[in-house]
């Protein structure tokens, strides 16, 4: 069986709608040959049975044999002389010629037509499956409108640079990964992430290349070149996904040539057995041997797995889950343990102020923000962000100085909050317990209780003070990913019962996060080598979900590595599956899809082998005529192809 091959627009126009499918040159040729085979068959049958004209009959059959046999014969000769193996194409050509040799030219022509039709349908199915993937890739516009040197200009995609300002009108497709600097809008991210609802974007929000600006004009600064954009990474991953094969697919391909050899050896043996063992006539023995050859050909077996896996990968890609190979799809179906990294995977790796314990929370936040605005530490930035979000003015400080391992201190000229008199000059500080002790301050019983509670919850704490007085205790923690609790529960419902969190964070933090999201098992205070060691201790098949450089060894070591797209390049490259939307909720749907694909492969193989095991003996016994054997064989091939196409309707 043949293997399927794989003017500047209006800059303000909405992106053109993608056609559902375009015929490739290879598919056009296959359709043409199939059509000629059918025409030749019909002419031959008409000349033989209706017109009783041998010349017309033979002209028709010759056309059918040439149109149906040349493509298959070309593939057969390539496999035989270049790849040094026999395949099902050779079986079909030999069977058709064998039918003609016993005066059954019509049956041979029918065989070639159905075989050609089966190959064409297969090419169409694979082309449609790959198109479902490639449609995700062909999303970049030819260019974009930029503002450079104070002027607007149209720029081709390859000329867009980091720092350029995109001017994006309603209906335009976004040309590069960028950050909104002016305006607000809603964006259709479904082509990239699978998100069905528009996503609101305001100043500071990131825009992904390939998504569509819906209803507002915005300006956005390019943050990644076209070659490193979200869409470019998606293209690279999907190109990589076409190369690797599942274990089942590899197995069926490995057995195709030996199986074809066995069938070709059995054909003369069947003939000899019928002719001399059962004393049947030469024509009858040869006819049954040819029917046996047709029925025993493993076309449906060979196409069973790739038809399913490519369809499943296309459905997953549409939902924002990218499999780098069908082998990864096959592995996910068998996974019974999932290990999660914490920071950046279960959480957003984004520190936020979770709680402020103070008599005057606004004054305490103003003082803390004034101090922390002089620091680049993530906790400091969380405090600053919280103050800005609440429109709290920063307290003015001077002579700010970082105290390594403790915090930051400065001088404050005028403070109205917390009982500090206006006009006084005081030392103000924000940091940990060691800094508090250095400043000679102490906690009140209420503050001490709040500090213990925040530590128990897994929050990092910031103590804010003026001189020897503690003004506030703040809790800063990493934010959980939205919907992560539901994602964990969904994964459990999909059949993955054993889930464990791995983190380099301290035990208190790990315990708090695990409790919040519904995980019962966690390992804390781990180094990268510890995660790698645990990969060997956990029972498999095992999947690891991570995002950082420190997760890369564990991702590579696990039976299946799963990375979130917001993670580092090395994590994405080490993984077998990428969650393009950073949504772990998609993982449960991907597991269900993988299991459905695996069940479909098993069903296809059982059906294909069942047809062979049942029909082949009946053909030898003379109970299956050649036309019925042809229909059973090629019908089985069409059946398994369409069983694979069924998965294209799957939604994660």
């Amino acid at each position: 069986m043949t293997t399927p091959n794989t003017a500047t627009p209006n800059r303000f126009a909405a992106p053109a709608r993608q056609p559902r499918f375009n015929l490739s040159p290879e598919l056009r040729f296959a359709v043409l040959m199939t059509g000629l085979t059918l025409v030749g068959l019909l002419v031959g049958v008409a000349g033989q049975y209706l017109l009783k004209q041998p010349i017309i009959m033979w002209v028709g059959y010759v056309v059918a044999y040439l149109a149906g046999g040349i493509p298959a014969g070309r593939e057969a000769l390539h496999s035989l002389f270049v790849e040094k193996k026999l395949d099902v194409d050779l079986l079909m050509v030999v069977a058709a010629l064998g039918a003609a040799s016993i005066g059954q030219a019509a049956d041979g022509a029918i065989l070639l037509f159905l075989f050609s039709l089966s190959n064409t349908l297969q090419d169409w199915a694979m082309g449609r499956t790959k198109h479902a993937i490639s449609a995700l890739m062909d999303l970049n516009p030819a260019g974009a409108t930029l503002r450079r040197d104070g002027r607007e200009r149209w720029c081709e995609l390859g000329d867009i640079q980091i720092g350029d300002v995109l001017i994006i009108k309603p209906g335009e497709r976004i040309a590069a990964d960028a950050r909104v600097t002016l305006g607000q809008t809603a964006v259709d991210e479904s082509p990239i992430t699978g998100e069905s609802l528009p996503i609101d974007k305001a100043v500071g929000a990131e825009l992904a290349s390939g998504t569509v600006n819906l209803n507002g004009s915005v300006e956005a600064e390019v943050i990644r070149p076209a070659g490193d954009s979200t869409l470019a990474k998606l293209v690279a991953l999907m190109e990589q996904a076409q190369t690797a094969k599942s274990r089942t697919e590899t197995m069926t391909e490995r057995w195709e040539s030996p199986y074809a050899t066995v069938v070709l050896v059995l054909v003369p043996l069947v003939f000899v057995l019928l002719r001399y063992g059962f004393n049947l006539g030469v024509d009858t023995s040869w006819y049954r041997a040819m029917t046996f050859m047709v029925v025993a050909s493993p076309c449906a077996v060979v196409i069973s797995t790739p038809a399913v896996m490519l369809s499943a990968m296309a459905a997953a890609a549409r939902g924002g889950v990218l499999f780098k190979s069908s082998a990864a799809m096959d592995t996910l179906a068998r996974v019974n343990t999932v290990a999660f990294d914490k920071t950046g995977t279960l959480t957003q790796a984004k520190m936020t102020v979770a709680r402020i314990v103070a008599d005057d929370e606004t004054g305490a936040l103003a003082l803390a923000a004034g101090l922390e605005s002089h620091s680049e530490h993530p906790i400091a930035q969380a405090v600053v962000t919280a103050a800005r979000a609440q429109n709290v003015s920063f307290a003015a400080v001077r002579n700010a100085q970082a105290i390594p391992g403790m915090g930051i201190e400065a001088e404050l000229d005028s403070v109205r909050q917390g009982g500090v008199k206006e006009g006084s000059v005081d030392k103000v500080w924000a940091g940990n317990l060691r800094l508090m002790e250095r400043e000679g301050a102490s906690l009140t019983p209420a503050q001490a209780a709040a500090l213990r509670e925040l530590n128990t919850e897994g929050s990092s704490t910031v103590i804010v003070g003026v001189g020897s007085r503690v003004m506030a205790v703040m809790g800063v923690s990493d934010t959980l990913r939205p919907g992560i609790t539901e994602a964990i529960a969904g994964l459990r419902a999909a059949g993955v019962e054993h889930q464990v969190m791995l983190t380099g964070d301290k035990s208190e933090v790990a315990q708090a996060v695990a409790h919040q999201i519904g995980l019962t098992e966690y390992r804390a205070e781990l180094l990268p080598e510890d995660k790698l060691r645990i990969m060997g201790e956990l029972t498999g098949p095992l999947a690891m979900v991570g995002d950082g450089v420190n997760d890369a060894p564990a991702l590579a070591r696990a039976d299946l590595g799963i990375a979130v797209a917001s993670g580092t390049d090395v994590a994405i490259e080490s993984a077998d599956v990428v969650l393009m939307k950073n949504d772990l909720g998609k993982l449960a749907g991907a597991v269900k899809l993988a299991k459905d694909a695996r069940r479909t492969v098993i069903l296809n193989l059982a059906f294909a082998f069942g047809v062979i095991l049942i029909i082949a003996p009946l053909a030898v016994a003379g109970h299956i005529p050649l036309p019925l054997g042809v229909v059973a064989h090629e019908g089985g091939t069409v059946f398994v192809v369409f069983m694979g196409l069924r998965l294209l309707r799957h939604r994660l």
Side-chain angles (χ1 to χ4, degrees):
M1 176 163 286
T2 55
T3 302
N5 300 317
T6 53
T8 301
N10 182 344
R11 57 185 179 180
F12 298 116
R17 187 177 184 84
Q18 291 288 332
R20 290 187 62 83
F21 186 63
N22 289 322
L23 292 180
S24 65
E26 294 81 5
L27 185 55
R28 289 194 188 97
F29 179 75
V31 170
L32 174 62
M33 291 296 102
T34 301
L36 286 176
T37 306
L38 177 60
V39 170
L41 171 62
L42 295 177
V43 170
V45 170
Q48 183 176 1
Y49 296 105
L50 298 179
L51 303 177
K52 308 295 185 180
Q53 295 291 329
I55 294 179
I56 296 177
M57 175 190 73
W58 283 114
V59 168
Y61 287 150
V62 167
V63 170
Y65 272 67
L66 290 176
I70 288 178
R74 184 177 59 186
E75 293 290 335
L77 293 176
H78 180 273
S79 297
L80 184 62
F81 293 106
V82 177
E83 301 177 12
K84 308 299 182 185
K85 67 177 184 179
L86 302 176
D87 61 14
V88 294
D89 294 277
L90 181 62
L91 291 182
M92 291 300 98
V93 173
V94 172
L97 294 175
S101 70
I102 56 175
Q104 302 293 330
D107 289 347
I110 292 172
L111 170 62
L112 288 174
F113 166 67
L114 290 178
F115 184 65
S116 180
L117 177 63
S118 174
N119 276 338
T120 301
L121 289 174
Q122 174 187 318
D123 289 346
W124 173 80
M126 294 307 178
R128 181 174 178 182
T129 300
K130 291 180 180 179
H131 178 72
I133 298 173
S134 64
L136 297 173
M137 316 307 175
D138 192 22
L139 296 175
N140 266 331
T145 302
L146 307 180
R147 176 175 288 116
R148 281 183 181 172
D149 302 324
R151 293 186 305 169
E152 291 187 17
R153 53 169 294 192
W154 171 260
C155 185
E156 293 187 356
L157 189 64
D159 296 329
I160 298 175
Q161 303 171 2
I162 295 177
D164 281 341
V165 176
L166 301 179
I167 300 175
I168 310 168
K169 305 294 184 182
E172 286 190 318
R173 199 174 291 277
I174 296 165
D177 289 358
R179 183 177 290 109
V180 178
T181 57
L182 179 64
Q184 59 184 15
T185 186
V187 173
D188 176 10
E189 294 187 343
S190 59
I192 301 297
T193 66
E195 173 61 55
S196 59
L197 297 176
I199 305 299
D200 291 332
K201 301 289 184 178
V203 173
E206 288 195 11
L207 306 175
S209 58
T211 58
V212 181
N213 182 28
L214 294 178
N215 54 16
S217 296
V218 295
E219 295 186 9
E221 181 180 356
V222 176
I223 57 176
R224 277 181 286 273
D228 294 332
S229 68
T230 301
L231 195 57
K233 290 179 181 178
L234 188 151
V235 172
L237 287 173
M238 292 313 297
E239 287 176 346
Q240 189 177 358
Q242 301 300 318
T243 59
K245 299 175 181 177
S246 70
R247 296 185 308 166
T248 307
E249 188 174 354
T250 303
M251 180 189 69
T252 55
E253 288 190 357
R254 187 168 61 245
W255 282 100
E256 177 186 354
S257 182
Y259 183 90
T261 303
V262 169
V263 171
L264 286 175
V265 170
L266 284 177
V267 169
L269 293 180
V270 168
F271 171 77
V272 171
L273 176 65
L274 295 174
R275 176 69 182 91
Y276 299 103
F278 291 90
N279 296 318
L280 298 179
V282 173
D283 290 349
T284 301
S285 299
W286 188 243
Y287 183 90
R288 293 187 186 181
M290 291 300 99
T291 305
F292 166 78
M293 179 189 294
V294 171
V295 173
S297 179
C299 291
V301 175
V302 172
I303 196 60
S304 292
T305 304
V308 172
M309 288 302 181
L310 282 177
S311 295
M313 289 170 65
R318 186 177 57 236
V321 179
L322 301 183
F323 286 86
K324 292 185 179 180
S325 67
S326 55
M329 175 78 70
D330 185 58
T331 302
L332 182 60
R334 298 180 291 108
V335 162
N336 56 29
T337 300
V338 175
F340 295 95
D341 169 54
K342 180 184 76 68
T343 306
T345 303
L346 299 176
T347 68
Q348 299 186 62
K350 180 180 179 182
M351 305 297 286
T352 59
V353 175
R355 188 174 167 193
I356 301 175
V357 180
D359 293 335
D360 179 1
E361 292 186 9
T362 302
L365 183 57
L367 179 58
L371 284 162
E372 301 290 17
S373 64
H374 296 275
S375 172
E376 296 297 326
H377 193 280
I379 292 179
Q381 293 305 304
V383 173
V384 170
T385 300
R388 287 174 175 162
Q390 299 179 35
N391 294 319
V392 173
S393 300
F394 297 4
V397 301
R398 66 182 185 184
N399 300 326
Q401 181 179 2
I403 311 298
M406 296 186 188
I408 190 169
E409 64 180 16
E411 293 178 354
L412 183 67
D413 286 333
S414 177
V415 178
R416 302 179 187 275
Q417 298 89 353
V420 180
K421 295 181 180 180
E422 183 175 358
S424 62
V425 178
D426 290 277
K427 180 186 289 185
V428 292
W429 48 271
N432 54 24
L433 282 170
R434 285 183 294 171
L435 181 59
M436 181 191 74
E437 293 170 355
R438 168 177 161 160
E439 299 297 336
S442 60
L443 298 169
T444 65
Q447 291 170 338
L451 187 67
R452 287 193 298 271
E453 186 176 346
L454 288 170
N455 285 330
T456 301
E457 293 173 355
S459 296
S460 299
T461 54
V462 178
I463 303 172
V464 183
V466 178
S468 60
R469 179 183 177 186
V470 174
M471 301 282 293
V473 175
M474 295 184 175
V476 180
S477 60
D478 195 356
T479 308
L480 292 177
R481 283 194 181 275
I484 188 61
T485 303
E486 293 78 6
I488 296 297
L491 195 58
R492 190 174 292 112
V496 183
E497 293 290 340
H498 189 199
Q499 302 175 41
V500 57
M501 180 177 71
L502 309 179
T503 178
D505 218 331
K506 54 187 179 180
S507 296
E508 295 83 357
V509 175
Q511 182 181 23
V513 171
H515 177 73
Q516 290 179 63
I517 65 177
L519 287 177
T520 58
E521 184 177 351
Y522 64 89
R523 311 282 180 88
E525 301 179 24
L526 301 176
L527 297 173
E529 54 266 32
D530 296 324
K531 292 184 179 181
L532 195 60
R533 171 180 52 80
I534 291 174
M535 289 297 101
E537 296 175 355
L538 295 172
T539 57
L542 167 68
M544 171 69 188
V545 186
D547 76 309
V549 173
N550 64 333
D551 299 320
L555 290 170
R557 170 65 177 82
D559 297 299
L560 186 75
I562 303 172
V564 292
S566 61
T568 61
D569 288 343
V570 66
I572 292 174
E573 291 170 3
S574 301
D576 305 294
V577 181
V578 180
L579 304 177
M580 288 303 297
K581 194 189 172 187
N582 307 320
D583 181 5
L584 268 67
K586 297 287 187 180
L587 191 53
V591 170
K592 293 177 182 178
L593 173 60
K595 289 184 175 182
D596 192 4
R598 185 172 176 81
R599 285 192 297 267
T600 304
V601 167
I602 294 172
L603 175 63
N604 278 357
L605 290 174
F607 177 83
F609 279 118
V611 169
I612 293 174
L613 293 176
I614 294 173
I615 303 298
L618 293 176
V620 174
H623 298 303
I624 299 293
L626 182 57
L628 185 57
V630 169
V631 171
H633 173 268
E634 298 302 334
T637 304
V638 173
F639 172 80
V640 299
V641 168
F642 279 100
M643 283 296 290
L645 283 176
R646 176 182 60 85
L647 295 178
L648 284 172
R649 302 195 306 268
H650 199 288
R651 294 293 184 270
L652 299 187

